[in-house]
């Protein structure tokens, strides 16, 4: 028997101490594996090149540090520090604001050591939440698989599995049909990216799965308490990523409809549990909707945050093998759903995910959040019913692990080779310039530079960047061109004065290649290793 036994009321699975020891060991090994490239990076940095602390998405990584820095300063409201326009804050990105407050216990906001403290807290959160996510996944898997061997196998597949994107990469098709492979650009679609560098998404998935497990337990005793716990878990999820509530609501609504059709009667008990659970995170969802619709700057940020789904062939490369294996489980799962509704949730989830991925939304490809979990469960259920399933399981692992191995291997190789062209490292002279600026410039001053330096400004200082992050800089491309023209010395005095006045710019950071020269409205206040900082004298 590979599935949980049938009962009138679905109860939590039994997990032995030995199982917990095994999955804890698995989680520890995986998190050690994900940490190794970071250690290589820090050990490889030189006097002239410093490791940024991120193995992928440095632009987004710096934005996380910038959000944490707000918390270090005592803020509870998030402001976009990558844009110069004044705007009201909102209570979003709570995990990073709280993380910043913890980092503030180690170093003060004005200290150059704060960036290291922020990175320390970030990676501790990555390790802790990643480890807890693996344990949470195991418990969720145990609701559907009774065999400890299959439970551990499925958890390992969920944690380490990817798609066939590695075939496209090795075949030179890294921009296949206008997009990178799915398993290299959609963290929500898998799990490894979360463990590798996205602690808030690990925490969000912990909340998602933990809440679902409270709902799956439909025993009469304590059902309302479990509904309240589910709502609390989903509130944690929403504090990490608010729009995940929309994904969850859609999923639960479709699950309820499927149960209605399956049993030919309205699932009244499930309805009341979900209603009670949903009342807890609902006010926060309403708050974020109001905050982002009434705040024009926040609304503009969301409009610029475009993450469209790639060509459907990418989803076939990303999930095709697992869907084929999952088909083998559908008949058995449908039967089990007659008295255990949890099984129907798995089917609904993997059927709904491809539809959600193409809804007319700005963040299409993020709508597949968590679907890799039920897909792997169904795939293992499907192949485990075959007489000789072990060779097929080995084949699936052999096909789905290389993307993860490629990420780790290329990350470790890049981390071991510091160079000016390597985006994992930054010019120490540039970072020293930012340290000086942080110590000598008033907080919240707007600093203009090119987008590359601008991306580091809010992460390493208490200043705001004129341009520095694609989605978070309002009118990014227009501002990028304005910064280019200024730093190249192509602006007239009148254009320069207008730029400074319109965007309330207080400082200009000129990199070594800049041809900007001192003018009547620019006072040179810092000049070292080719980097210059000018203080702007606003015309009266």
């Amino acid at each position: 028997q590979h599935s949980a036994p049938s009962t009138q009321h679905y109860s939590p699975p039994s997990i032995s101490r030995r199982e917990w020891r095994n999955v804890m060991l698995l989680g520890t090994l995986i998190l050690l594996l994900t940490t190794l490239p970071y250690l290589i990076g820090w050990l490889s940095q030189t006097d002239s090149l410093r490791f940024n602390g991120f193995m992928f998405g440095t632009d987004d990584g710096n934005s996380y540090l910038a959000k944490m820095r707000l918390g270090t300063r005592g803020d509870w409201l998030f402001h976009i520090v990558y844009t110069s326009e004044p705007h009201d804050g909102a209570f979003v990105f709570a995990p990073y604001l709280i993380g910043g407050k913890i980092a503030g216990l180690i170093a003060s906001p004005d200290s150059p050591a704060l960036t290291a403290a922020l990175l320390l807290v970030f990676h501790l959160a990555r390790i802790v939440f990643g480890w807890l996510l693996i344990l949470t996944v195991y418990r969720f898997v145990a609701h559907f698989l009774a065999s400890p061997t299959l439970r551990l196998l499925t958890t390992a597949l969920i944690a380490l599995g990817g798609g066939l994107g590695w075939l496209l990469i090795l075949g030179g098709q890294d921009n296949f049909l206008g997009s990178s492979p799915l398993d290299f650009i959609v963290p929500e679609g898998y799990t490894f990216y979360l463990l590798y560098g996205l602690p808030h998404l690990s925490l969000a998935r912990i909340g998602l799965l933990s809440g679902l497990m409270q709902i799956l337990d439909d025993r009469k005793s304590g059902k309302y308490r479990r509904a309240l716990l589910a709502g609390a878990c989903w509130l944690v999820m929403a504090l990490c990523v608010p729009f995940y509530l929309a994904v969850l609501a859609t999923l639960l609504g479709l699950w309820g409809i499927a149960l209605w059709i399956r049993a030919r009667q309205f699932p009244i008990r499930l309805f009341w549990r979900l209603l009670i659970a949903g009342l807890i995170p609902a006010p926060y969802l309403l708050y974020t909707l109001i905050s982002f619709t009434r705040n024009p700057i926040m609304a503009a940020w969301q409009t610029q945050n475009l993450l469209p789904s790639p060509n459907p062939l990418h989803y076939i490369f990303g999930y095709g093998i697992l869907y084929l294996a999952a088909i083998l489980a559908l008949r058995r799962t449908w039967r089990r759903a007659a008295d255990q509704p949890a099984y129907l949730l798995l089917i609904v989830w993997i059927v709904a995910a491809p539809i959600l991925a193409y809804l007319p939304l700005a963040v299409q490809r993020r709508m597949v959040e968590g679907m890799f979990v039920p897909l792997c469960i169904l795939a293992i259920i499907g192949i485990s019913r075959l007489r000789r399933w072990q060779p097929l399981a080995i084949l699936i692992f052999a096909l789905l692990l290389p993307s993860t191995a490629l990420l780790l291997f290329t990350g470790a190789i890049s981390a071991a080779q510091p160079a000016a062209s390597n985006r994992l490292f930054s010019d120490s002279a540039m970072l020293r310039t930012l340290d000086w600026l942080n110590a000598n410039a008033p907080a919240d001053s707007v600093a203009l530079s090119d987008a590359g330096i601008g991306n580091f400004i809010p992460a390493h200082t208490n200043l705001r960047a004129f341009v520095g992050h694609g989605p978070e800089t309002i009118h990014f491309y227009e501002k990028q061109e304005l910064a280019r023209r200024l730093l190249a010395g192509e602006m007239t005095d009148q254009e320069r004065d207008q730029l400074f006045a319109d965007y309330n710019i207080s400082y200009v950071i000129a990199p070594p290649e800049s041809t900007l020269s001192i003018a009547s409205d620019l006072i040179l206040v810092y000049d070292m290793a080719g980097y210059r900082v000018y203080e702007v004298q606003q015309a009266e």
Side-chain angles (χ1 to χ4, degrees):
Q1 292 291 325
H2 298 307
S3 299
S6 174
T7 57
Q8 185 177 0
H9 291 287
Y10 194 71
S11 302
S14 175
I15 302 177
S16 67
R17 291 184 178 179
R18 182 178 181 181
E19 286 182 73
W20 280 125
R21 285 197 298 268
N22 288 339
V23 73
M24 288 178 184
L25 178 60
L26 174 67
T28 301
L29 291 175
I30 291 175
L31 268 300
L32 285 174
L33 194 64
T34 62
T35 303
L36 183 60
Y38 291 99
L39 295 177
I40 293 173
W42 273 304
L43 293 173
S44 300
Q45 61 186 355
T46 65
D47 291 339
S48 60
L49 292 169
R50 278 167 52 184
F51 179 53
N52 293 327
F54 304 102
M55 295 307 304
F56 61 91
T58 297
D59 286 1
D60 286 340
N62 279 331
S63 79
Y64 301 145
L65 297 187
K67 295 170 178 65
M68 294 175 71
R69 186 175 278 271
L70 289 174
T72 303
R73 295 167 52 187
D75 291 352
W76 278 106
L77 298 180
F78 163 72
H79 293 80
I80 307 176
V81 288
Y82 281 101
T83 201
S84 53
E85 293 82 358
H87 57 279
D88 294 329
F91 182 58
V92 292
F93 295 108
Y96 287 120
L97 293 172
I98 295 171
K101 295 180 185 301
I102 296 173
L105 300 175
I106 303 173
S108 68
D110 298 327
S111 171
L114 179 61
T115 302
L118 294 174
L119 282 169
L120 174 63
V121 173
F122 179 91
H123 283 286
L124 285 176
R126 178 184 66 82
I127 292 169
V128 171
F129 292 149
W131 191 77
L132 291 175
L133 175 58
I134 292 173
L135 268 61
T136 303
V137 165
Y138 187 86
R139 183 166 179 80
F140 187 81
V141 168
H143 280 269
F144 307 96
L145 293 163
S147 164
T149 299
L150 291 180
R151 289 175 176 179
L152 195 64
L153 183 72
T154 306
T155 302
L157 181 60
I158 292 170
L160 296 172
L164 297 179
W166 61 276
L167 288 174
L168 295 174
I169 296 293
L170 294 182
Q173 298 295 319
D174 53 325
N175 193 34
F176 180 64
L177 296 174
S179 174
S180 298
L182 206 67
D183 32 345
F184 293 95
I185 61 171
V186 185
E188 290 85 355
Y190 299 91
T191 305
F192 182 75
Y193 254 127
L194 278 58
L195 307 176
Y196 200 24
L198 297 167
H200 69 297
L201 296 188
S202 290
L203 180 58
R205 190 167 297 179
I206 290 172
L208 170 63
L209 296 178
S210 297
L212 287 175
M213 284 188 283
Q214 294 297 327
I215 294 297
L216 294 183
D217 183 356
D218 67 349
R219 292 173 297 174
K220 289 185 177 180
S221 61
K223 59 182 178 181
Y224 295 117
R225 176 181 60 83
R226 290 192 296 275
L228 293 173
L229 286 174
C233 291
W234 292 337
L235 177 59
V236 170
M237 176 192 73
L239 290 171
C240 298
V241 188
F243 77 83
Y244 280 5
L245 283 174
V247 178
L248 176 65
T250 303
L251 175 64
L252 294 177
L254 293 175
W255 182 32
I257 293 172
L259 288 172
W260 193 352
I261 295 172
R262 180 71 177 81
R264 297 183 181 180
Q265 63 179 6
F266 186 74
I268 187 67
R269 290 188 304 175
L270 175 65
F271 172 79
W272 284 114
R273 295 203 309 276
L274 291 179
L275 180 62
I276 293 171
L279 287 175
I280 295 178
Y284 182 70
L285 177 62
L286 181 62
Y287 164 77
T288 55
L289 289 174
I290 293 174
S291 298
F292 279 79
T293 53
R294 292 189 175 182
N295 188 324
I297 300 303
M298 295 287 191
W301 164 39
Q302 291 303 298
T303 301
Q304 294 181 168
N305 190 26
L306 299 177
L307 296 169
S309 280
N311 187 288
L313 282 176
H314 276 284
Y315 284 93
I316 294 175
F317 271 96
Y319 303 113
I321 288 178
L322 290 173
Y323 267 97
L324 288 175
I327 290 173
L328 301 174
L330 292 184
R331 183 178 178 182
R332 176 177 176 81
T333 306
W334 178 259
R335 288 179 176 177
R336 296 301 299 268
D339 58 311
Q340 296 183 12
Y343 285 87
L344 193 54
L345 173 63
L346 301 182
I347 298 176
V348 168
W349 203 338
I350 69 167
V351 171
I355 301 172
L356 291 172
Y358 286 98
L359 291 179
L361 301 171
V363 289
Q364 285 180 328
R365 62 178 183 245
R366 298 192 67 182
M367 299 297 285
V368 298
E369 160 56 27
M371 63 84 65
F372 196 61
V373 175
L375 184 57
C376 288
I377 293 172
L378 288 173
I380 295 299
I381 291 176
I383 66 170
S384 66
R385 292 186 52 77
L386 301 177
R387 180 171 300 178
R388 298 186 62 187
W389 61 270
Q390 292 90 344
L392 185 55
I394 293 173
L395 177 62
I396 288 177
F397 268 82
L399 290 172
L400 300 186
L401 290 185
S403 286
T404 298
L406 190 61
L407 284 169
L408 281 172
F409 179 75
T410 56
I413 294 298
S414 296
Q417 299 176 344
S421 59
N422 188 341
R423 290 214 64 193
L424 300 185
F425 295 85
S426 293
D427 184 1
S428 296
M430 183 267 288
L431 297 179
R432 287 194 297 270
T433 302
L434 297 183
D435 288 340
W436 180 91
L437 193 62
N438 187 51
N440 292 276
D444 293 318
S445 300
V446 178
L448 182 150
S449 66
D450 60 42
I453 297 175
N455 183 249
F456 286 83
I457 290 175
H460 289 256
T461 76
N462 296 317
L463 281 70
R464 292 154 58 198
F466 171 72
V467 60
H469 190 275
E472 294 188 32
T473 298
I474 307 306
H475 306 306
F476 175 83
Y477 294 105
E478 293 90 334
K479 289 181 178 178
Q480 187 179 43
E481 175 61 15
L482 288 172
R484 185 201 64 78
R485 291 186 59 219
L486 174 71
L487 295 172
E490 296 177 1
M491 282 189 172
T492 64
D493 291 346
Q494 184 178 3
E495 287 176 322
R496 191 170 57 237
D497 291 342
Q498 190 67 46
L499 171 64
F500 296 156
D502 287 348
Y503 296 101
N504 196 30
I505 294 169
S506 299
Y507 294 91
V508 175
I509 304 173
E513 64 272 16
S514 171
T515 56
L516 179 66
S517 57
I518 298 177
S520 59
D521 54 355
L522 292 174
I523 299 176
L524 183 65
V525 292
Y526 177 93
D527 186 0
M528 290 190 67
Y531 289 91
R532 290 157 288 149
V533 177
Y534 299 91
E535 185 174 356
V536 176
Q537 300 298 299
Q538 295 281 4
E540 297 183 1

